[in-house]
Amino acid sequence: MTPSTTSRNFKPIKILRAVIPLAFWLGVWQLAAYLVDLRTGGHGALLLPYPLLVAGRLAALAGQPAFWQSAAVTLGRIFGGFAAGAAVGALTAAATSALRGADWVLTPAVKVIRAIPVASFIVLVLLWAPSSGWVPAIVSGLMVLPVLWGNVSRGVLQTDPLLLEAARAYRFGRGKTLRLVYLPSVRPYFVSGCATGLGLAWKAGVAAEVLCQPRLAIGTQLYRAKITLETPDLFAWTAVVIVLSFLLEYALGILFRRLGGEKT
Amino acid sequence: MISVRNITVRFEEKQVLDRFSLEVPEEGITALSGPSGCGKTTLLRVLAGLQPVEAGTVTTPPEPVILFQENRLLPWRTVGQHITDVLPRDRRGEVSRWLALAELEGEERNYPAALSGGMGRRLALARTLACGGGLILLDEPFAGVDAPRAARILARVRSLGLPVVLSSHERETVELCDRVIHLDGPPLRITDDTENGGLRSC
């Protein structure tokens, strides 16, 4: 089989793997909406709107500048919170792995952060934050921090002791050991933590926006759609969150592949 | 003189070295030969300063360097990078010299996953030699390397003029060394010294 034949066979399979599940679940949604509509005597859109109706609302919303502003600001807040949480989580893991004192002091604090319910965080941060716009970012960061801390700590712990001994035997020094042994060993754990943390950041960040209602925010739009019983809008904004989350995950995947140019 | 005197090493209940003593001249290539598990690797690790001893004294030239029994290559570094990683800044131009010594010309850009077992072993050896030091310790340096190639590489190692202590199972390798110390254990003990250019019995 020539490489070009392989490539030709590969592409349709990749497309089918995306299209078939999408078509299946859209079909399930359509059927469920039809049954709800039937049972509610034509008022099904209040509970479960048809996919086409949601697509129509999404298209209508996309025509308004406020839609793009809200999406952009939410994306910025959540990515900012995620990035800060990931950085602090990774640095905390480095500190707790390297320094016993830091381990004693910081590990219980991170475990407490991990155990606190997101709703408590949202309310507490809302009380403390200078403006409601900060709350989703801070809450997203606090959700991501313990995940990255746990993953990076595990990565440090799992670093091959034989490679570390070799680094000592070949007189690498601390900086080179960190760069050539620890960082490449921890990288898969960091990437996996980011994938998990990103999902959490979106969930917690949008939930915070719903409760805090900053002026430009997807969460605020979701809340308004709920109180005005605009269920198709609710679905449309949820679809926006899903698409943005996928796009951000995809972009981070590309970034990590570029940054990890060395073979892993 | 490279020497260990009355050294004791224990792993939990297992006594690997029990007041073991050995002296080796600080020149040429000395082979340690003996069955698997007798304590040769532990002795080399003691000489490298990587294995703490419960008792006894160890005297070696400064900065001994060891080739481990496992290759311990970094999967994310290329063949060439493995050599530059151990070279000081002013000797970075020596990469091709060390790769040529281990007959790895043309492999500089490959990653360890692309190397055969023997090539990986030779890369680990080249890295150890490039790192350099007052004493070269080689634990099974030619495992998986064919005998004629091992002989050629050992001749180049000899030409470096540094004292070398190696452990080996391969008769062909042992025969090329200046002196052979036959060992048994554990606990490690000397069963025979072969005079072949000046071995001093202990």
mmCIF file of all heavy atoms in Angstrom, chain A residues 8 17 21 47 71 81 89 114 125 150 173 201 218 227 248-249 259:
data_model
loop_
_atom_site.group_PDB
_atom_site.id
_atom_site.type_symbol
_atom_site.label_atom_id
_atom_site.label_comp_id
_atom_site.label_asym_id
_atom_site.label_seq_id
_atom_site.Cartn_x
_atom_site.Cartn_y
_atom_site.Cartn_z
ATOM 1 N N ARG A 8 -5.453 8.664 1.609
ATOM 2 C CA ARG A 8 -6.798 8.785 1.046
ATOM 3 C C ARG A 8 -7.792 7.998 1.887
ATOM 4 O O ARG A 8 -8.921 8.414 2.084
ATOM 5 C CB ARG A 8 -6.801 8.290 -0.404
ATOM 6 C CG ARG A 8 -6.431 9.359 -1.420
ATOM 7 C CD ARG A 8 -6.965 9.004 -2.790
ATOM 8 N NE ARG A 8 -6.464 7.737 -3.280
ATOM 9 C CZ ARG A 8 -5.312 7.595 -3.935
ATOM 10 N NH1 ARG A 8 -4.543 8.634 -4.140
ATOM 11 N NH2 ARG A 8 -4.926 6.424 -4.371
ATOM 12 N N ARG A 17 -15.868 9.405 11.540
ATOM 13 C CA ARG A 17 -15.812 9.284 13.016
ATOM 14 C C ARG A 17 -16.364 10.520 13.698
ATOM 15 O O ARG A 17 -16.802 10.472 14.845
ATOM 16 C CB ARG A 17 -14.374 9.035 13.483
ATOM 17 C CG ARG A 17 -13.985 7.585 13.362
ATOM 18 C CD ARG A 17 -12.803 7.277 14.229
ATOM 19 N NE ARG A 17 -13.115 7.423 15.650
ATOM 20 C CZ ARG A 17 -12.261 7.170 16.639
ATOM 21 N NH1 ARG A 17 -11.061 6.757 16.339
ATOM 22 N NH2 ARG A 17 -12.602 7.327 17.885
ATOM 23 N N PRO A 21 -21.234 10.014 14.972
ATOM 24 C CA PRO A 21 -21.764 10.269 16.322
ATOM 25 C C PRO A 21 -22.579 11.550 16.410
ATOM 26 O O PRO A 21 -23.602 11.589 17.107
ATOM 27 C CB PRO A 21 -20.518 10.374 17.195
ATOM 28 C CG PRO A 21 -19.349 10.160 16.343
ATOM 29 C CD PRO A 21 -19.772 9.952 14.953
ATOM 30 N N LEU A 47 -39.357 23.177 27.061
ATOM 31 C CA LEU A 47 -38.573 22.175 27.794
ATOM 32 C C LEU A 47 -37.388 21.667 26.978
ATOM 33 O O LEU A 47 -36.260 21.610 27.472
ATOM 34 C CB LEU A 47 -39.461 20.985 28.183
ATOM 35 C CG LEU A 47 -40.528 21.268 29.234
ATOM 36 C CD1 LEU A 47 -41.403 20.041 29.427
ATOM 37 C CD2 LEU A 47 -39.897 21.658 30.560
ATOM 38 N N ALA A 71 -18.976 36.313 24.260
ATOM 39 C CA ALA A 71 -18.182 35.091 24.064
ATOM 40 C C ALA A 71 -16.695 35.381 24.267
ATOM 41 O O ALA A 71 -15.991 34.622 24.949
ATOM 42 C CB ALA A 71 -18.427 34.534 22.664
ATOM 43 N N GLY A 81 -8.075 32.614 33.982
ATOM 44 C CA GLY A 81 -8.151 31.879 35.249
ATOM 45 C C GLY A 81 -7.483 30.523 35.136
ATOM 46 O O GLY A 81 -6.713 30.113 36.019
ATOM 47 N N GLY A 89 -0.565 26.028 40.199
ATOM 48 C CA GLY A 89 -0.630 24.605 40.571
ATOM 49 C C GLY A 89 0.685 23.900 40.281
ATOM 50 O O GLY A 89 1.198 23.142 41.116
ATOM 51 N N ARG A 114 -9.221 21.741 47.080
ATOM 52 C CA ARG A 114 -9.807 20.676 46.250
ATOM 53 C C ARG A 114 -11.153 20.218 46.808
ATOM 54 O O ARG A 114 -12.058 19.838 46.060
ATOM 55 C CB ARG A 114 -8.826 19.500 46.164
ATOM 56 C CG ARG A 114 -9.253 18.432 45.167
ATOM 57 C CD ARG A 114 -8.106 17.544 44.766
ATOM 58 N NE ARG A 114 -7.474 16.879 45.899
ATOM 59 C CZ ARG A 114 -6.360 16.165 45.819
ATOM 60 N NH1 ARG A 114 -5.752 16.041 44.654
ATOM 61 N NH2 ARG A 114 -5.839 15.590 46.866
ATOM 62 N N VAL A 125 -15.777 34.284 46.862
ATOM 63 C CA VAL A 125 -14.980 35.176 46.002
ATOM 64 C C VAL A 125 -15.806 36.396 45.610
ATOM 65 O O VAL A 125 -15.280 37.509 45.502
ATOM 66 C CB VAL A 125 -14.453 34.407 44.762
ATOM 67 C CG1 VAL A 125 -13.681 35.339 43.829
ATOM 68 C CG2 VAL A 125 -13.546 33.262 45.189
ATOM 69 N N GLY A 150 -1.847 18.103 41.675
ATOM 70 C CA GLY A 150 -1.852 16.639 41.809
ATOM 71 C C GLY A 150 -1.112 15.966 40.668
ATOM 72 O O GLY A 150 -0.278 15.088 40.889
ATOM 73 N N GLY A 173 24.232 18.706 37.139
ATOM 74 C CA GLY A 173 23.889 19.899 37.928
ATOM 75 C C GLY A 173 22.373 20.046 38.004
ATOM 76 O O GLY A 173 21.630 19.379 37.281
ATOM 77 N N ALA A 201 -12.503 24.327 34.422
ATOM 78 C CA ALA A 201 -12.477 25.791 34.375
ATOM 79 C C ALA A 201 -13.726 26.323 33.679
ATOM 80 O O ALA A 201 -14.333 27.294 34.134
ATOM 81 C CB ALA A 201 -11.215 26.265 33.655
ATOM 82 N N ILE A 218 -21.222 34.965 28.992
ATOM 83 C CA ILE A 218 -22.120 33.908 28.518
ATOM 84 C C ILE A 218 -23.034 33.479 29.667
ATOM 85 O O ILE A 218 -24.230 33.239 29.459
ATOM 86 C CB ILE A 218 -21.298 32.711 27.972
ATOM 87 C CG1 ILE A 218 -20.582 33.112 26.690
ATOM 88 C CG2 ILE A 218 -22.202 31.512 27.720
ATOM 89 C CD1 ILE A 218 -19.688 32.037 26.098
ATOM 90 N N ILE A 227 -34.578 32.974 32.969
ATOM 91 C CA ILE A 227 -35.672 33.681 33.659
ATOM 92 C C ILE A 227 -36.750 34.156 32.676
ATOM 93 O O ILE A 227 -37.901 34.359 33.053
ATOM 94 C CB ILE A 227 -35.172 34.865 34.528
ATOM 95 C CG1 ILE A 227 -34.382 35.862 33.715
ATOM 96 C CG2 ILE A 227 -34.398 34.376 35.742
ATOM 97 C CD1 ILE A 227 -34.111 37.169 34.479
ATOM 98 N N LEU A 248 -10.671 25.819 22.510
ATOM 99 C CA LEU A 248 -9.558 26.115 23.424
ATOM 100 C C LEU A 248 -8.719 24.861 23.662
ATOM 101 O O LEU A 248 -7.481 24.915 23.682
ATOM 102 C CB LEU A 248 -10.120 26.648 24.747
ATOM 103 C CG LEU A 248 -9.146 27.371 25.664
ATOM 104 C CD1 LEU A 248 -8.417 28.498 24.948
ATOM 105 C CD2 LEU A 248 -9.873 27.938 26.883
ATOM 106 N N GLU A 249 -9.388 23.728 23.823
ATOM 107 C CA GLU A 249 -8.668 22.464 24.035
ATOM 108 C C GLU A 249 -7.814 22.125 22.810
ATOM 109 O O GLU A 249 -6.666 21.704 22.942
ATOM 110 C CB GLU A 249 -9.690 21.351 24.309
ATOM 111 C CG GLU A 249 -9.054 20.111 24.914
ATOM 112 C CD GLU A 249 -10.081 19.044 25.238
ATOM 113 O OE1 GLU A 249 -11.228 19.389 25.572
ATOM 114 O OE2 GLU A 249 -9.724 17.867 25.138
ATOM 115 N N LEU A 259 5.392 23.292 21.641
ATOM 116 C CA LEU A 259 6.354 23.507 22.733
ATOM 117 C C LEU A 259 7.180 22.260 22.988
ATOM 118 O O LEU A 259 8.354 22.334 23.288
ATOM 119 C CB LEU A 259 5.621 23.895 24.028
ATOM 120 C CG LEU A 259 5.045 25.310 24.064
ATOM 121 C CD1 LEU A 259 4.325 25.548 25.385
ATOM 122 C CD2 LEU A 259 6.136 26.354 23.883
#
